[in-house]
């Protein structure tokens, strides 16, 4: 017995015949489609030919061929195959598009803007999609001009076969010019209506602008305390006696109180356990009161932070913080009390600048060496006052997994130290990162960053409080080296820190399927004992990692190998965290 198989080959549902431009033929063939099954009989073949003719006619009309003929037929062969003979005829061209207003017409300026929005020039091909799109542009322009109820009636399109032209006439009802009242708040939560009204980017009596409505929605959404935010113009029936219409805001709160916990681990920084209790909207102005507890091998602390979004002006956030910290690192130990106040002003979706002040009182323990090279433990009680200002400009497309764009940040901290040491200095640091996709989908991305910092005003590294010095090494710095291990060391190998810093990283990120990704990277940097590090003593590391992409961002696992090992450096470091490295 012989078994034979024949693979099904896709073929057009009907052959397209006739003299046609290549692009038009391709569109018709795509509309007709393909099939794996030949027609069973002549009746089925004729039915396919008629269906193909209907599809072809629709394409021809959409492209402005209103005098075309499409003839369906079948071949004389056995089995019979369907085909269509297409004669496109002349292409009809746009002639004198016009707008007819349903009374009352809009003001002259709005009417002129609406006519300009048609964007159909006489002599252009009379494509159906272009004619319909022009109607949408007219209504959109009127809406932006304050005619929120503008709508389109049945358009009239005259097809003249004598001169092969197509003349569209749009029948538009602009409705009345809408002027705005205040805000009507609808919520079951504690949000203060007066606070919401203060976020409105318009004044009573101003003309409606959909961008203002969208901005109010952004301002409420960015607070992060609401499950849903809806902002919309009220219906005409709610127009008040002065002819003004309110904007209706609907808010649904997230749970008011939330308890969170998390665990992090890396070979260089050990295990850390975090817990947080958050109280949202306590004062009815989308505020957040957060209590944090962190227990870790390097950095333990307990603190509280109160965030007041849109404080006294939209886009500005007041943040008040206080914490007790206990740091035990290879370079120093610190126990202290911190308090700070900062104002952050947003000037873009993810761009901002901030300024504020911080006070700290703490006990510092580190090691110095005498003239004979003997280690001398040192304890200092220090009181530190810091003014701080920073700015971040973000032109990337995603906060946790950017695939294109760039980011830049700058941080300045004038600092005054009292107690067992008296000192004034300026600490400055900046970073730039960029993301370049190598394909249209952004599946392969080259990412790079460079960070630099300097401390001016100190005579030597030892004068600066340990936690204000620059250190390098670790998951957020130079992978492959232990936390704080890059840069100058004391004679016993303890990291000393420095007065300047340079770091750089280069990554190639590749998306693999829907969820997974891979990364190859090289990190490098150095810490200097003067205010300018230069490039002497740069230590490099290479590594690779995997990414598991979740809806909110990737989970990353990286392994890095140091290329410039010094005594005491491990052969590799492993990091697990959320989000890309930079």
């Amino acid at each position: 017995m012989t078994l034979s198989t024949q693979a099904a080959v896709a073929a057009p549902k009907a052959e397209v015949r006739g003299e046609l431009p290549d692009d038009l033929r391709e569109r018709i063939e795509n509309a007709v489609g393909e099939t794996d099954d030949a027609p069973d009989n002549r009746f089925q073949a004729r039915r396919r030919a008629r269906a193909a003719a209907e599809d072809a006619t629709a394409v021809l009309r959409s492209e402005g061929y209103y005098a075309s003929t499409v003839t369906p037929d079948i071949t004389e062969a056995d089995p019979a195959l369907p085909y269509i003979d297409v004669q496109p005829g002349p292409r009809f061209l746009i002639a004198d598009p016009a707008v007819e207003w349903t009374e009352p017409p809009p003001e002259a300026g709005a009417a002129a803007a609406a006519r300009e929005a048609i964007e159909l020039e006489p002599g252009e091909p009379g494509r159906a999609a272009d004619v319909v799109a022009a109607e949408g542009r007219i209504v959109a322009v009127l809406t932006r001009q304050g005619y929120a109820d503008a709508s389109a009636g049945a358009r009239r399109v005259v097809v003249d076969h004598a001169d092969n032209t197509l003349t569209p006439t749009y029948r538009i009802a602009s409705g009345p010019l809408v002027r705005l009242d205040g805000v009507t708040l609808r919520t079951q939560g504690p949000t203060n209506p007066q606070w919401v009204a203060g976020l409105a980017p318009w004044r009573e009596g101003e003309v409606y602008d959909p961008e203002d409505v969208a901005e109010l929605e952004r301002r409420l959404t960015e607070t992060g305390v609401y499950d849903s935010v809806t902002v919309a113009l009220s219906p005409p029936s709610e127009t008040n006696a002065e002819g003004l219409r309110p904007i209706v805001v609907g808010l649904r709160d997230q749970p008011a109180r939330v308890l969170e916990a998390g665990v992090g681990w890396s070979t260089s920084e050990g295990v850390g356990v975090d817990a947080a209790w958050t109280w949202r909207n306590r004062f009815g102005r989308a505020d957040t009161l957060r209590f944090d507890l962190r227990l870790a091998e390097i950095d333990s602390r307990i603190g509280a932070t109160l965030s007041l979004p849109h404080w006294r002006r939209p886009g500005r956030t007041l943040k008040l913080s206080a914490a007790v910290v206990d740091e035990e690192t290879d370079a120093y130990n610190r126990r202290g009390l911190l308090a700070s106040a900062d104002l952050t002003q947003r000037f873009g979706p993810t761009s901002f600048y901030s300024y504020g002040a911080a006070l700290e009182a703490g006990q510092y323990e580190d090691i110095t060496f005498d003239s004979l090279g003997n280690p001398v433990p040192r304890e200092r009680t220090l009181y530190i006052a810091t003014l701080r200002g920073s700015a971040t400009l973000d032109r990337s497309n995603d906060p946790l997994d950017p695939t294109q764009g760039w980011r830049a940040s700058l941080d300045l901290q004038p600092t005054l130290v009292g107690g067992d040491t008296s000192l004034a200095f300026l600490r400055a640091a900046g970073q730039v990162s960029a993301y370049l996709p190598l394909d249209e989908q952004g599946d392969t991305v080259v990412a790079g960053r460079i960070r630099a910092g300097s401390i001016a005003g100190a005579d030597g590294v030892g004068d600066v409080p340990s936690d204000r010095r620059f250190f390098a090494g670790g998951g957020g710095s130079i992978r492959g080296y232990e936390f704080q291990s890059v840069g100058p060391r004391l004679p016993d190998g303890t990291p000393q820190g420095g007065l300047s810093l340079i770091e750089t990283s280069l990554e190639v990120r590749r998306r693999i399927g829907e969820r997974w990704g891979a990364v190859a990277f090289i990190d490098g940097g150095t810490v200097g004992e003067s205010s300018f590090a230069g490039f002497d003593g740069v230590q490099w590391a290479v590594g690779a990692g995997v990414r598991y992409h979740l809806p909110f961002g990737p989970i990353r696992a990286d392994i890095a190998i140091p290329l410039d090992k010094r005594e005491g450096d491990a052969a590799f470091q492993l990091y697990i965290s959320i989000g890309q490295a930079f």
Side-chain angles (χ1 to χ4, degrees), residues 36 92 237 301:
D36 293 334
F92 284 55
S237 60
R301 61 182 61 211

Side-chain angles (χ1 to χ4, degrees), residues 185-269:
L185 178 62
R186 294 174 181 170
T187 180
Q188 296 181 349
T191 299
N192 188 329
Q194 292 182 343
W195 176 76
V196 176
L199 297 183
W202 66 84
R203 295 180 181 176
E204 185 177 309
E206 286 188 354
V207 173
Y208 167 83
D209 185 341
E211 284 301 316
D212 287 342
V213 176
E215 176 61 21
L216 177 57
E217 184 172 352
R218 279 192 293 268
R219 291 174 180 179
L220 290 166
T221 301
E222 71 183 7
T223 63
V225 305
Y226 301 112
D227 260 341
S228 67
V229 175
T230 59
V231 182
L233 180 66
S234 62
S237 60
E238 296 187 16
T239 304
N240 64 19
E242 289 77 30
L244 307 180
R245 284 165 64 178
I247 295 295
V248 179
V249 174
L251 301 176
R252 186 174 67 188
D253 285 45
Q254 292 187 24
R257 298 172 182 81
V258 177
L259 180 62
E260 303 168 280
V263 177
W265 174 79
S266 75
T267 53
S268 64
E269 301 174 33

Side-chain angles (χ1 to χ4, degrees), residues 34 38 63 75 124 131 171 179 222 315 406 446 466 550:
E34 296 180 335
E63 289 295 314
T75 64
E124 291 183 347
V131 172
R171 295 169 174 171
R179 296 186 181 276
E222 71 183 7
W406 54 272
V446 176
S466 307
L550 296 172

Side-chain angles (χ1 to χ4, degrees), residues 1-6:
M1 181 176 64
T2 302
L3 178 64
S4 64
T5 61
Q6 183 175 359

Side-chain angles (χ1 to χ4, degrees), residues 7 20 91 102 225 240 265 273 283 297 300 320 334 418 420 467 484 487 491 515 531-532 552 559 570:
L20 297 168
R91 194 174 205 177
T102 302
V225 305
N240 64 19
W265 174 79
V273 178
F283 304 110
E297 296 179 29
S300 298
L320 305 173
R334 176 177 70 130
D420 292 338
D467 65 312
Q484 298 182 336
R515 292 292 188 187
S531 295
F532 178 71
F552 59 85
I559 185 169

Side-chain angles (χ1 to χ4, degrees), residues 15 17 38-43 45-46 73-83:
E15 181 187 357
R17 298 180 179 180
D40 294 331
N41 49 55
R42 297 176 70 83
F43 173 78
R46 289 189 183 279
D73 208 340
I74 60 174
T75 64
E76 295 299 329
D78 188 16
L81 298 176
Y83 71 89

